[in-house]
Amino acid sequence: MHPSPARRLPPSPRFLRLSRQGGVCLAMAAPAAWAGGLPEVFMSPLVTVGAGLATLGLLAGAGYILQLRQRLARLEARPAGGVAPAGLHDRQFRLAAAAGHGIEGLIGLDGRLIWANPAVERVTGHEAATLEAADFVELLVCERDRAFCRQRLRALVERGAPDDFELRIQHHGGGVRWMACHWQPVREEDGRLVGLRVAMEDIQARKEAEYAQLETVAALRRAQALSEHYLRRSNEERQRLSALLDVVKAGILFMDPDHRVVYCNRAFHEIWGVPVSKTLVGVRDVVLQRMVVDLLAEPDVFFRHLQDVVDSRRPSEAMEVRFKDGRILTSSSCLVPAPEGLRSIGRIWVFEDITAQREAAKQLQQMAERDPLTNLYNRRRFHEELVRMLADGQRRGEGVGLLAIDLDGFKPINDRFGHQAGDEVLVCLAAEVGAVVRRNEMFFRLGGDEFAILVPFATALQLAELARRVAACIAGQRFAFDDGEVGVTASIGIAFSPQQGDDPETLVAAADRAMYVAKGLGGNSWAFAPAESAAGQLAADAPAG
């Protein structure tokens, strides 16, 4: 058997249903098949349009009724004071404000607190009951921020626009907390301003962080200012030191531990012939050596000395450096320790041109030990050399010979031709006799027409031969003046140690006695002191056969 088909019921006609809230719901339009069961008159276009207009009218009326009911609900919820905005004290708003961590409140235009959420007690320490109708600024705002807060609130009321600013809220038990305040004007529906809504957020932690940051920044700025001050002072000191070193005559060079130039003064450029315009900072020592090698008389010796000094890491003694042009420099250096003293920050070199000093010393020495007329060694140098030779002879067991020379006939030349003529005779005789004296023999002018010759490691025979050559040289010289030619001779006394004594005074006295013996013989001769000892010594020194 086949089941009988379900019975199809005719669809319900379209209808309009009014909701309990006054809203209108439009059911879905009936299928076109339903229209077949209606009278034909209802199928006309006019009826359809009329039905649509009626439906729209019902919808508009329902919407108006809904708006009216909502307005009545707001009016019923408004407090007796009549200052709260629409919806401000709704249950949902109060629940949300009470659950927040920040302060939510409403302030009247007179500055009194109308309402605040429970967070105000936690932040300010005041009970909610004591805050009702209290002056918000006077009670809660820190004294230092009150004038600022009142000024901003007056401006907010005058403009009627939202405003945000920060202030400090004072706690009932003491202390203050920073709060970020967001102010919003509250208006009636007609636009009339009725109060100010404030939302406060605790920003104490942020402010403390900002203060700490500001303190850090201030400390950094102070440190930077101090650093800049010290840097400026350091630069000033460096400029003063540089100016001072530039007027110093000694050349100053500072090298870092990597053997690069850190500083050199003007005198260094001048001494080593480097133009002042040429910057040497950063140049390595090997480059400097190549720049000056052509100036040095003995570059290998000097560079070896520099390397020894650097390797030893000790202060160096002054070393004389000779240039090809005759200049003489002294080079000395020492390490510069670091402030902590555990290492060095480089080495300083000092180069001093002592050419002028050496020349001056040489001149002074020459004046002190040489005769200004004949340039022979003088009496002072004679005594120094005699002491030295006698000491050497005693140490080595060898004798020292002395020839005391006195000119014969020199005084008449001075009397007849004048002292200038006498000086010419002395200068000429000094030169001629100096050519006869050997390299190891020293010729002296003791004063006036007195001369002496010192001979180290001499024998009596050698001294006799020297006396003969000197006497013959002097006697062979002729001098032409206005009135004719003149000449002089010499009387020579010979003494030698240790036969005539080991001390200077005894030896000089013996030579003088021998010289007077020769002069007593008529001059132009020589004699030993004493004569018998000299004769015996001559016999002993004579060659055999």
Side-chain angles (χ1 to χ4, degrees), residues 328 354-368:
I328 303 175
I354 61 171
T355 306
Q357 299 178 16
R358 287 289 184 268
E359 291 293 334
K362 184 178 180 180
Q363 292 177 3
L364 290 175
Q365 183 178 6
Q366 185 171 358
M367 293 174 60

Side-chain angles (χ1 to χ4, degrees), residues 6 15 47 87 97 131 158 177 186 213 263 278 330 340 346 390 396 410 419 469 474:
F15 63 93
V47 174
L131 297 176
E158 292 175 359
R177 296 192 73 82
V186 180
Q213 185 178 12
Y263 171 81
K278 184 177 180 60
T330 57
E340 61 272 16
L390 288 175
R396 298 180 182 183
F410 177 74
H419 290 284
R469 293 199 313 270
I474 294 175

Side-chain angles (χ1 to χ4, degrees), residues 11 14 29-38 43:
R14 66 170 59 176
W34 288 18
L38 296 175
M43 300 297 294

Side-chain angles (χ1 to χ4, degrees), residues 130-432:
T130 64
L131 297 176
E132 294 181 0
D135 188 331
F136 169 78
V137 176
E138 190 67 27
L139 182 62
L140 299 182
V141 179
C142 176
E143 182 179 0
R144 298 178 61 181
D145 295 344
R146 290 173 186 170
F148 164 76
C149 182
R150 288 193 177 97
Q151 179 184 0
R152 296 294 292 268
L153 291 181
R154 282 196 300 268
L156 189 152
V157 171
E158 292 175 359
R159 294 195 312 269
D163 193 8
D164 296 334
F165 57 86
E166 299 174 356
L167 52 78
R168 285 167 287 189
I169 296 297
Q170 59 186 6
H171 194 274
H172 180 63
V176 296
R177 296 192 73 82
W178 276 98
M179 308 293 288
C181 303
H182 309 282
W183 299 87
Q184 184 75 29
V186 180
R187 299 181 182 276
E188 280 286 4
E189 292 180 354
D190 57 2
R192 182 168 54 87
L193 184 65
V194 296
L196 301 174
R197 176 188 172 186
V198 60
M200 295 185 181
E201 179 186 356
D202 190 343
I203 58 171
Q204 182 66 26
R206 192 193 78 189
K207 280 293 184 180
E208 291 177 355
E210 290 178 357
Y211 284 149
Q213 185 178 12
L214 289 175
E215 286 295 329
T216 302
V217 171
L220 290 175
R221 288 178 177 175
R222 289 193 297 269
Q224 181 181 6
L226 187 62
S227 176
E228 291 175 353
H229 171 72
Y230 284 134
L231 178 61
R232 184 170 60 254
R233 291 287 301 273
S234 177
N235 290 335
E236 292 174 356
E237 290 295 333
R238 182 172 182 177
Q239 291 296 329
R240 283 193 287 267
L241 180 61
S242 178
L244 174 63
L245 294 179
D246 278 341
V247 300
V248 173
K249 297 300 182 182
I252 298 175
L253 174 69
F254 185 80
M255 308 286 290
D256 65 11
D258 295 328
H259 308 291
R260 294 183 181 274
V261 177
V262 176
Y263 171 81
C264 59
N265 66 344
R266 181 181 295 272
F268 179 85
H269 285 264
E270 296 173 353
I271 289 174
W272 292 99
V274 180
V276 179
S277 59
K278 184 177 180 60
T279 302
L280 297 179
V281 176
V283 175
R284 292 187 63 86
D285 53 354
V286 291
V287 178
L288 279 181
Q289 293 176 11
R290 288 197 297 266
M291 293 171 61
V292 303
V293 63
D294 294 334
L295 302 176
L296 301 173
E298 297 177 331
D300 295 339
V301 175
F302 178 60
F303 294 153
R304 188 165 54 252
H305 164 74
L306 296 183
Q307 189 61 47
D308 293 342
V309 170
V310 172
D311 294 341
S312 67
R313 299 185 60 82
R314 292 193 302 269
S316 67
E317 299 293 337
M319 173 191 179
E320 289 193 1
V321 183
R322 297 187 177 274
F323 282 56
K324 291 180 180 179
D325 58 6
R327 290 183 298 149
I328 303 175
L329 265 66
T330 57
S331 168
S332 58
S333 74
C334 65
L335 290 173
V336 180
E340 61 272 16
L342 300 178
R343 59 183 181 88
S344 67
I345 59 175
R347 179 178 285 271
I348 187 170
W349 296 85
V350 179
F351 303 95
E352 186 176 1
D353 189 339
I354 61 171
T355 306
Q357 299 178 16
R358 287 289 184 268
E359 291 293 334
K362 184 178 180 180
Q363 292 177 3
L364 290 175
Q365 183 178 6
Q366 185 171 358
M367 293 174 60
E369 62 185 19
R370 287 189 177 272
D371 174 51
L373 177 63
T374 61
N375 200 35
L376 297 176
Y377 288 121
N378 58 15
R379 182 181 293 273
R380 177 174 176 273
R381 181 64 181 273
F382 167 77
H383 285 289
E384 292 177 354
E385 293 297 329
L386 179 58
V387 171
R388 182 184 64 81
M389 289 184 182
L390 288 175
D392 290 344
Q394 292 175 4
R395 185 169 57 254
R396 298 180 182 183
E398 298 175 341
V400 176
L402 169 61
L403 274 66
I405 306 170
D406 187 81
L407 297 181
D408 304 322
F410 177 74
K411 187 175 182 301
I413 296 177
N414 273 339
D415 296 340
R416 179 179 176 183
F417 302 106
H419 290 284
Q420 185 175 358
D423 291 344
E424 293 180 9
V425 171
L426 293 177
V427 171
C428 181
L429 290 178
E432 295 297 330

